[in-house]
Amino acid sequence: MKTQPTTRFVPHTVDGKTRMVPITVDTPAPPRDWDRLILNGVTGIAAVVLTASVVWSTASIGDLLARAVIEPAAYGAAVVFDLAWIACMAVEWLARYDEDRAALPRKAGNVALIVAMLAIGAHGKIAGYWEIGIVGALVSGLAKGLWTVVIRHQTPPLDQRTRAWIQGELADAGASLALIPVRRQLQRAQAQVDAERAALATGSDHGSADPDRPDESADDPDADVLAIRPGALTTKDAVRIAWDSGVRDDDEARRYVAKVTGKAPSPDTIARYMRLLRKVAG
């Protein structure tokens, strides 16, 4: 029986203290997985065929297009013909667990393959060797067909209920991902609203056209100033709003936070938040 070295962790005690230490032991080696080896070989063959197809298609279509444009542009455009159906085939592989999603890249890949084969055939006809054009076009067809067989072999068969369950899971995950930019947009919009309110409130305090009447206390709020929901903002949010409004002085930021939150903040807390904002902005 063949064996192979395997590392295991075992407890080892020295002076009353136990640690897990690695040791190497010989364990029976698993039997050779011929199915996996054959599949790897077939995948390698498909990769070689695909490479040969891209080279032939690029050379053929590039020579065809070079009759009208310069060679760098011609061969650069020629490689697109094969890359198009290869990319569609890759997307089909990624969607192999969802037959509905895999259908579109499969159809698009077939269309791109037909276009590439027609271009290769047109080159053979123009060059005066239509037989070579047909055989050359079949190279791309064989490459696509071989990869289709490989993809189909590695696509697990799923019943309708299982596919529906997978689609539901993907839909839930997609909804969670979609909410991330939406939440960011809402937060940015709310921050702009809060900053605008803060700017209006600050401007009203410094430049009111209607001074306090003699019978009003100087500490009473002006009736024309709209309060920004005292207590509704956290200290960190208020500092951020002050920063967005152009406040860079710690004492001015502390006075603003005290105004909009309704309580006197700690100078150390204000200084810490302002340092963080300067670091991000710098």
Side-chain angles (χ1 to χ4, degrees):
M1 177 183 297
K2 293 183 179 181
T3 60
Q4 63 181 8
T6 304
T7 300
R8 293 180 178 177
F9 286 86
V10 297
H12 182 65
T13 304
V14 176
D15 196 19
K17 187 174 182 178
T18 302
R19 291 182 179 273
M20 301 298 292
V21 297
I23 62 171
T24 301
V25 296
D26 291 332
T27 57
R32 188 180 298 274
D33 189 352
W34 289 104
D35 290 346
R36 174 55 57 180
L37 291 175
I38 293 174
L39 181 58
N40 291 339
V42 171
T43 304
I45 293 173
V48 172
V49 172
L50 181 63
T51 303
S53 171
V54 172
V55 172
W56 174 265
S57 176
T58 302
S60 179
I61 301 176
D63 184 63
L64 174 66
L65 299 178
R67 300 169 185 270
V69 296
I70 60 175
E71 289 190 356
Y75 286 94
V79 74
V80 174
F81 283 81
D82 269 1
L83 290 182
W85 63 261
I86 291 174
C88 292
M89 190 171 57
V91 176
E92 180 186 353
W93 161 260
L94 294 175
R96 63 190 181 278
Y97 298 111
D98 189 344
E99 182 63 26
D100 294 336
R101 296 179 63 194
L104 178 59
R106 183 182 305 118
K107 294 177 181 178
N110 291 334
V111 172
L113 173 64
I114 293 174
V115 172
M117 294 176 67
L118 290 175
I120 296 173
H123 172 259
K125 181 179 180 181
I126 293 177
Y129 302 98
W130 61 268
E131 301 91 345
I132 296 178
I134 295 176
V135 174
L138 291 177
V139 173
S140 295
L142 291 174
K144 176 68 164 61
L146 181 57
W147 272 106
T148 300
V149 171
V150 174
I151 292 175
R152 286 294 183 179
H153 176 75
Q154 299 194 53
T155 301
L158 301 175
D159 59 83
Q160 183 61 34
R161 292 186 177 183
T162 303
R163 287 199 298 269
W165 185 87
I166 292 176
Q167 290 174 351
E169 289 292 302
L170 291 174
D172 292 342
S176 299
L177 289 174
L179 285 176
I180 294 176
V182 172
R183 290 194 182 100
R184 289 176 180 172
Q185 184 177 2
L186 291 175
Q187 290 173 357
R188 287 194 297 268
Q190 185 61 46
Q192 292 176 356
V193 171
D194 292 337
E196 182 70 17
R197 290 176 177 174
L200 292 175
T202 303
S204 299
D205 288 341
H206 292 287
S208 176
D210 185 16
D212 294 329
R213 294 189 296 273
D215 57 344
E216 292 179 339
S217 172
D219 295 333
D220 291 338
D222 198 316
D224 294 335
V225 178
L226 298 178
I228 307 180
R229 305 189 307 279
L233 294 175
T234 64
T235 300
K236 183 176 181 180
D237 292 337
V239 171
R240 179 67 187 187
I241 294 173
W243 178 274
D244 293 339
S245 301
V247 175
R248 297 295 183 267
D249 182 71
D250 292 359
D251 292 336
E252 186 178 354
R254 180 169 53 81
R255 290 192 297 269
Y256 171 77
V257 172
K259 174 181 176 56
V260 299
T261 61
K263 58 182 180 180
S266 169
D268 294 337
T269 301
I270 300 299
R272 185 171 67 255
Y273 287 149
M274 292 294 284
R275 284 196 303 269
L276 179 60
L277 290 172
R278 292 190 187 98
K279 182 177 180 181
V280 173

